[in-house]
Amino acid sequence: MTTVLILAGLFLLALYGAPLFAIIAASAMWSFYGEGIDLSVMGIEIYRVAEMPILLAIPLFTFAGYLLSESGAPGRLVRMTRAVLGWMPAGLAIVSLAACAFFTAFTGASGVTIIALGALLFPALQQAGYPDNFNLGLITTSGSLGLLFAPSLPLILYGIVAQQMSEGSSVSIDDLFLAGIFPGLLMLVLLSGYAFWVNRRNNMPLESFEWPKLKAALSESKWEIPLPFIVLGGIYSGYFAVSEAAAVTAVYVIVVEIFIMREIPFRKLPEIMRQSMMLVGGVLIILGVSLASTNYMIDAGVPQQMFNAIRGMVESPLGFLLLLNVFLLVLGAVLDIFSAIVLVVPLILPIAAQYGIHPVHLGIIFLANMQLGYSTPPVGLNLFIASFRFNRPITELYVATLPYLGILLVSVLMITYWPDLSLVLVE
Amino acid sequence: MKDFLHKLDLTGRWIENVLLFSLLGGMIVLAGGQILLRNVFDSGMAWADPVLRILVLWVGLLGAVAASRQNNHITIDILNRMLPVAWRRWSDVVVALFTSAVCALLAWHTFRFVQDEYQYSDFEIAGIPVWLWQSIMPVSFALIAWRYLVRSAQLVAGTATVSATGETGLAATADVKEEDRA
């Protein structure tokens, strides 16, 4: 009885804006207390954050992403994508999608994309004559496009959490990086197709493809172009582990943006570090306290009880996947992607395994659903950032993003029910 | 008193920045150096990997302390968005006091954990006893508890910004960046 009251109280506090880590820590401590376990166990559990070598990738990639977004790299990225893809019908819209996806993969889908790229792309789209609502929706949803591409933070975090579980111990982050490629491309292709279709009757002047423009764009980006090749090439050739690739990225970005391009004065470095580490701290502290609560829930057999309950409702893996989609869409609408991974993956991974779903495929399903959550009313993060950034009422954004949500939903369903799309490169 | 608290606040922020800068900087140098050593000289520093792992914990917890300063943690907050601002201030006070209490508990129990390690373990990492490495846990949680206690007092006095005025935790990070640019 007391437990029910306390859990209800914590739930209410969470809905009134208490930090999630405090809610999770409180419920973990209450559970341990009820079992008569000494609460100094919280120290043991949180200290496990210092026992996972791969976690090193998180601060390093996040910092590199923040540094990139503060430099002139977003502008160069847009100019280069424009020189390569701008000649196509609806070219600028497709440029926006591709540039945002690429940028988000490197900055970890923390909302930085809308701030860094939206400011460049939105006015350009307006100027080119695309309809206003189309542009708003495009920029808002693009803020999380690309989180299926390596080396995005959510992919890495999913891998870390899965590796803690016996069912997911074989999940390697390299595999997740490979698995995300086709599903991510599917989203890009469908959204590009939509952009083309919406604007098929707008007689916008096509941009011409010009070699000199491309050459100029390539030459100004000559320092950033090698970056993805170093990171991904290094990982897949077996030269670097993921955390080493993160270290190389951080060093490379510092050298390029601060010492070669000199776009960011050295004295701004502490503030950029502080900003990026606030995000890292927010994620890691949730991870730390979740290690405690997850351990308790697994010991108490919560996943098995949930599996038994679900088993009563659905027999087939297909039915389970449908249920999973509905659940994750609702989850994504209220919870941010990092907390969702840390809190929910340990519970559903064992259940999904019993339905025969590959843990790598589950990861891609999970993240694809969560990506939708970024733009789902009422509290999708992208909606708030875009509303703030472009000074529009949030309700206007709800309407503008609706068609994009529809398309992303179609791609999420395809990703869910077509496992080979994710797994073909892995096996 | 007010002056003193303000000075304390500025000093605290400065210390956080210095620590974050040196720890993250050290992490980048150490991780980069390790790769260089391995690939160019085919050697490495045995102590570097455990130290790097501990630096992740330090940077993470100090980042969380920094986030607490701006009430910039990851939250769900659906209900308080629906409250009028005047009421929201009081729900914010309750939330801040709750967070402060939870962190005080965490500080106390992680302190007891560190104390045990101090007494019963002579394990060392890079020549430094492990309890010293672990002491960042009680220190950070105590600081976060303090931050939220201060926030609750400021909310009552009307000198702190009420939550959910248009942005969520992560987005607030972006907002701050915008202000910096302006």
Side-chain angles (χ1 to χ4, degrees):
Chain A
M1 187 59 205
T2 333
T3 303
V4 174
L5 276 179
I6 289 207
L7 289 181
L10 287 177
F11 189 62
L12 213 60
L13 277 165
L15 295 184
Y16 276 104
L20 264 179
F21 84 86
I23 302 285
I24 301 165
S27 72
M29 285 194 284
W30 176 252
S31 310
F32 284 129
Y33 177 74
E35 298 284 313
I37 298 168
D38 190 312
L39 289 184
S40 65
V41 71
M42 294 303 289
I44 302 175
E45 297 286 354
I46 296 167
Y47 189 64
R48 279 170 62 200
V49 166
E51 288 163 353
M52 303 177 190
I54 175 79
L55 274 186
L56 182 60
I58 292 184
L60 294 177
F61 269 133
T62 309
F63 166 66
Y66 267 71
L67 200 57
L68 273 178
S69 67
E70 289 284 330
S71 72
R76 287 190 289 276
L77 176 63
V78 170
R79 283 192 290 277
M80 191 176 71
T81 327
R82 206 166 172 173
V84 178
L85 299 173
W87 53 271
M88 294 200 276
L92 195 59
I94 294 167
V95 165
S96 311
L97 290 167
C100 285
F102 181 81
F103 199 71
T104 302
F106 271 84
T107 55
S110 52
V112 178
T113 304
I114 298 180
I115 304 284
L117 284 183
L120 301 167
L121 291 169
F122 190 66
L125 284 163
Q126 270 180 323
Q127 219 175 15
Y130 290 89
D132 198 45
N133 258 3
F134 172 85
N135 301 339
L136 271 181
L138 182 84
I139 298 296
T140 309
T141 31
S142 299
S144 51
L145 195 65
L147 62 80
L148 292 178
F149 293 130
S152 93
L153 213 53
L155 270 175
I156 297 175
L157 194 62
Y158 176 85
I160 292 169
V161 172
Q163 282 166 4
Q164 306 300 308
M165 318 278 307
S166 56
E167 292 84 356
S169 50
S170 61
V171 173
S172 84
I173 291 176
D174 308 13
D175 283 349
L176 283 166
F177 283 1
L178 285 175
I181 294 176
F182 284 130
L185 284 177
L186 174 73
M187 287 183 172
L188 267 181
V189 168
L190 288 183
L191 287 172
S192 302
Y194 171 75
F196 176 65
W197 188 76
V198 167
N199 297 297
R200 68 194 182 286
R201 291 204 191 89
N202 295 356
N203 288 320
M204 281 172 296
L206 291 181
E207 286 181 41
S208 55
F209 180 86
E210 290 162 27
W211 282 109
K213 236 202 267 175
L214 180 63
K215 248 177 91 181
L218 284 177
S219 116
E220 70 166 355
S221 305
K222 64 175 178 287
W223 291 107
E224 279 110 1
I225 293 169
L227 192 55
F229 295 100
I230 295 173
V231 172
L232 301 180
I235 291 174
Y236 289 115
S237 63
Y239 209 68
F240 301 140
V242 173
S243 55
E244 289 176 321
V248 172
T249 306
V251 172
Y252 186 88
V253 171
I254 289 179
V255 170
V256 167
E257 308 301 344
I258 294 184
F259 295 110
I260 299 181
M261 311 284 283
R262 296 176 186 224
E263 286 174 335
I264 298 170
F266 193 79
R267 66 184 155 74
K268 274 195 79 181
L269 212 50
E271 190 54 34
I272 297 174
M273 284 183 165
R274 181 188 175 88
Q275 293 299 338
S276 58
M277 288 311 108
M278 287 207 297
L279 172 64
V280 170
V283 174
L284 286 188
I285 197 169
I286 289 185
L287 178 68
V289 293
S290 298
L291 289 170
S293 72
T294 304
N295 230 355
Y296 172 79
M297 282 197 274
I298 289 171
D299 281 350
V302 175
Q304 191 57 41
Q305 287 165 14
M306 280 169 63
F307 174 68
N308 293 340
I310 297 170
R311 192 86 209 191
M313 288 187 285
V314 287
E315 282 282 332
S316 68
L318 224 61
F320 170 74
L321 284 175
L322 190 69
L323 200 67
L324 185 68
N325 269 331
V326 174
F327 169 70
L328 290 178
L329 286 176
V330 175
L331 187 74
V334 291
L335 208 59
D336 76 281
I337 194 164
F338 302 113
S339 328
I341 293 172
V342 168
L343 277 177
V344 180
V345 167
L347 293 177
I348 64 167
L349 190 69
I351 301 175
Q354 299 202 47
Y355 277 104
I357 292 154
H358 196 292
V360 169
H361 183 213
L362 180 73
I364 303 299
I365 298 175
F366 195 95
L367 298 188
N369 272 287
M370 286 294 135
Q371 181 184 331
L372 236 72
Y374 270 90
S375 316
T376 321
V379 291
L381 177 65
N382 285 352
L383 295 167
F384 287 115
I385 300 180
S387 154
F388 169 81
R389 187 69 192 73
F390 302 115
N391 204 11
R392 301 291 176 98
I394 195 139
T395 39
E396 198 180 321
L397 288 161
Y398 290 168
V399 178
T401 48
L402 216 54
Y404 294 90
L405 279 177
I407 291 162
L408 287 176
L409 188 62
V410 170
S411 54
V412 164
L413 292 176
M414 286 173 74
I415 289 166
T416 308
Y417 298 105
W418 185 10
D420 281 345
L421 186 69
S422 310
L423 297 176
V424 69
L425 290 177
V426 178
E427 279 156 0
Chain B
M1 186 64 190
K2 223 175 170 182
D3 241 27
F4 171 74
L5 279 179
H6 184 65
K7 264 192 191 141
L8 195 67
D9 196 59
L10 286 181
T11 321
R13 195 186 158 97
W14 186 80
I15 294 174
E16 275 165 29
N17 279 356
V18 170
L19 275 176
L20 279 172
F21 179 78
S22 23
L23 291 171
L24 185 61
M27 184 191 276
I28 295 168
V29 170
L30 202 56
Q34 190 77 334
I35 296 169
L36 199 72
L37 281 178
R38 184 172 66 90
N39 288 306
V40 181
F41 302 102
D42 209 18
S43 68
M45 303 165 278
W47 54 270
D49 287 334
V51 168
L52 278 171
R53 290 206 295 272
I54 284 169
L55 282 180
V56 173
L57 179 77
W58 279 63
V59 160
L61 285 173
L62 285 171
V65 172
S68 306
R69 187 178 290 277
Q70 272 139 290
N71 187 33
N72 202 352
H73 276 283
I74 297 176
T75 59
I76 303 182
D77 68 354
I78 301 175
L79 287 184
N80 57 338
R81 289 175 184 283
M82 300 171 185
L83 290 178
V85 174
W87 291 28
R88 205 186 294 160
R89 175 194 300 190
W90 296 106
S91 77
D92 277 6
V93 171
V94 175
V95 159
L97 285 175
F98 161 79
T99 309
S100 182
V102 170
C103 291
L105 267 177
L106 281 170
W108 169 241
H109 289 295
T110 51
F111 171 74
R112 287 180 43 240
F113 165 70
V114 173
Q115 211 178 18
D116 279 356
E117 294 279 314
Y118 174 72
Q119 277 172 345
Y120 302 112
S121 161
D122 45 15
F123 188 57
E124 286 182 354
I125 293 171
I128 296 170
V130 74
W131 67 267
L132 213 57
W133 290 114
Q134 292 166 336
S135 61
I136 189 66
M137 291 191 287
V139 171
S140 306
F141 284 117
L143 284 172
I144 299 176
W146 165 250
R147 290 305 322 163
Y148 276 94
L149 194 65
V150 170
R151 175 170 164 77
S152 67
Q154 286 173 334
L155 280 164
V156 173
T159 52
T161 337
V162 175
S163 71
T165 27
E167 76 280 352
T168 59
L170 292 184
T173 317
D175 291 357
V176 175
K177 289 175 60 159
E178 281 303 298
E179 283 162 18
D180 285 352
R181 280 182 186 171

